[in-house]
Amino acid sequence: MQHVVFNAHYLAYCDDACESFVRACGVRAMESGWDFMVKKAVVEWSGGATVGDELAIAVGVSRWGTTSFDMRFAGAVDDRPVFEAVVTYVGVRHGTLEPIPPPPAVKDALAGGPPV
Protein backbone atom coordinates (compact mmCIF):
# COMPACT_ATOMS: atom_id res chain seq x y z
CA MET A 1 0.00 0.00 0.00
CA GLN A 2 1.39 3.40 -1.01
CA HIS A 3 -0.72 5.26 1.59
CA VAL A 4 -2.07 7.66 -1.04
CA VAL A 5 -5.48 7.92 -2.64
CA PHE A 6 -5.75 5.78 -5.80
CA ASN A 7 -5.52 8.05 -8.86
CA ALA A 8 -8.84 7.02 -10.42
CA HIS A 9 -10.71 8.19 -7.31
CA TYR A 10 -9.88 11.81 -8.12
CA LEU A 11 -12.26 11.79 -11.10
CA ALA A 12 -15.00 10.45 -8.83
CA TYR A 13 -14.23 13.33 -6.44
CA CYS A 14 -14.47 15.77 -9.37
CA ASP A 15 -17.81 14.27 -10.37
CA ASP A 16 -19.13 14.75 -6.85
CA ALA A 17 -17.73 18.30 -6.68
CA CYS A 18 -19.34 19.10 -10.06
CA GLU A 19 -22.73 17.88 -8.87
CA SER A 20 -22.42 19.89 -5.66
CA PHE A 21 -21.36 23.01 -7.60
CA VAL A 22 -24.23 22.71 -10.08
CA ARG A 23 -26.77 22.30 -7.29
CA ALA A 24 -25.23 25.17 -5.28
CA CYS A 25 -25.71 27.36 -8.36
CA GLY A 26 -29.41 26.48 -8.25
CA VAL A 27 -29.33 24.44 -11.45
CA ARG A 28 -31.59 21.41 -11.72
CA ALA A 29 -30.29 20.46 -15.15
CA MET A 30 -32.63 17.62 -16.05
CA GLU A 31 -35.70 19.67 -15.07
CA SER A 32 -34.83 22.06 -17.91
CA GLY A 33 -34.57 19.22 -20.47
CA TRP A 34 -30.80 19.72 -20.56
CA ASP A 35 -28.17 17.40 -19.17
CA PHE A 36 -24.41 17.08 -19.62
CA MET A 37 -21.93 14.28 -20.12
CA VAL A 38 -18.15 13.97 -19.79
CA LYS A 39 -16.25 14.26 -23.05
CA LYS A 40 -12.67 14.55 -21.79
CA ALA A 41 -10.79 14.71 -18.49
CA VAL A 42 -7.22 15.80 -17.80
CA VAL A 43 -5.76 15.45 -14.32
CA GLU A 44 -2.39 16.69 -13.11
CA TRP A 45 -1.07 15.86 -9.66
CA SER A 46 1.28 17.98 -7.61
CA GLY A 47 1.07 15.81 -4.52
CA GLY A 48 -1.01 13.07 -3.05
CA ALA A 49 -3.83 12.92 -0.59
CA THR A 50 -3.35 10.22 1.98
CA VAL A 51 -5.85 8.03 3.74
CA GLY A 52 -7.78 10.20 6.21
CA ASP A 53 -6.94 13.56 4.60
CA GLU A 54 -9.74 16.02 3.97
CA LEU A 55 -9.54 17.10 0.34
CA ALA A 56 -11.06 20.51 -0.47
CA ILE A 57 -11.96 21.01 -4.13
CA ALA A 58 -12.58 24.42 -5.72
CA VAL A 59 -14.77 24.27 -8.84
CA GLY A 60 -15.68 26.70 -11.59
CA VAL A 61 -16.55 26.93 -15.26
CA SER A 62 -13.41 27.97 -17.14
CA ARG A 63 -14.62 27.86 -20.75
CA TRP A 64 -17.89 27.95 -22.68
CA GLY A 65 -18.34 26.55 -26.17
CA THR A 66 -21.52 26.23 -28.18
CA THR A 67 -22.63 22.94 -26.61
CA SER A 68 -19.60 22.15 -24.45
CA PHE A 69 -17.96 23.72 -21.42
CA ASP A 70 -14.91 23.09 -19.26
CA MET A 71 -14.94 22.89 -15.51
CA ARG A 72 -11.71 23.38 -13.62
CA PHE A 73 -11.09 21.62 -10.32
CA ALA A 74 -8.32 22.44 -7.86
CA GLY A 75 -7.88 20.04 -4.96
CA ALA A 76 -5.86 20.73 -1.83
CA VAL A 77 -5.29 19.33 1.63
CA ASP A 78 -5.08 22.32 3.96
CA ASP A 79 -2.95 24.75 1.92
CA ARG A 80 -1.03 22.00 0.09
CA PRO A 81 -2.03 21.62 -3.59
CA VAL A 82 -2.79 18.03 -4.53
CA PHE A 83 -4.24 18.08 -8.04
CA GLU A 84 -5.80 20.14 -10.79
CA ALA A 85 -8.22 18.80 -13.37
CA VAL A 86 -10.06 20.16 -16.36
CA VAL A 87 -13.14 18.21 -17.42
CA THR A 88 -14.89 18.97 -20.70
CA TYR A 89 -18.62 18.33 -20.66
CA VAL A 90 -21.05 18.31 -23.58
CA GLY A 91 -24.61 19.48 -23.05
CA VAL A 92 -27.22 17.04 -24.34
CA ARG A 93 -30.98 16.89 -24.59
CA HIS A 94 -32.03 14.99 -21.46
CA GLY A 95 -32.41 11.28 -22.15
CA THR A 96 -30.54 11.44 -25.48
CA LEU A 97 -27.04 11.89 -26.84
CA GLU A 98 -28.10 14.89 -28.96
CA PRO A 99 -25.75 17.85 -28.26
CA ILE A 100 -27.57 21.07 -27.41
CA PRO A 101 -26.47 24.40 -25.93
CA PRO A 102 -27.31 25.07 -22.30
CA PRO A 103 -30.47 27.02 -21.61
CA PRO A 104 -29.53 30.68 -20.96
CA ALA A 105 -30.63 30.45 -17.32
CA VAL A 106 -28.39 27.41 -16.75
CA LYS A 107 -25.41 29.08 -18.40
CA ASP A 108 -25.94 32.28 -16.42
CA ALA A 109 -26.22 30.38 -13.14
CA LEU A 110 -23.09 28.29 -13.74
CA ALA A 111 -21.09 31.23 -15.08
CA GLY A 112 -22.02 33.21 -11.98
CA GLY A 113 -20.72 30.49 -9.69
CA PRO A 114 -17.57 30.99 -7.65
CA PRO A 115 -14.49 31.07 -9.92
CA VAL A 116 -11.54 28.79 -9.30
Side-chain angles (χ1 to χ4, degrees):
M1 182 171 178
Q2 296 176 334
H3 300 284
V4 294
V5 174
F6 178 58
N7 62 72
H9 293 318
Y10 288 92
L11 288 176
Y13 300 156
C14 288
D15 187 62
D16 185 59
C18 174
E19 177 67 22
S20 295
F21 174 81
V22 169
R23 288 193 173 277
C25 290
V27 173
R28 303 298 181 259
M30 292 181 283
E31 293 173 11
S32 67
W34 177 83
D35 201 355
F36 56 99
M37 306 172 80
V38 173
K39 170 79 173 176
K40 173 182 165 183
V42 177
V43 183
E44 184 173 342
W45 288 270
S46 52
T50 60
V51 174
D53 281 345
E54 185 172 321
L55 185 63
I57 302 175
V59 184
V61 176
S62 60
R63 181 195 65 85
W64 286 102
T66 303
T67 60
S68 67
F69 62 99
D70 291 347
M71 291 191 88
R72 184 171 172 267
F73 302 85
V77 172
D78 297 321
D79 291 329
R80 181 176 53 84
V82 173
F83 80 99
E84 289 191 10
V86 176
V87 179
T88 300
Y89 296 93
V90 175
V92 295
R93 187 174 313 284
H94 177 62
T96 75
L97 299 178
E98 175 190 352
I100 61 170
V106 168
K107 187 173 180 179
D108 290 347
L110 295 180
V116 176

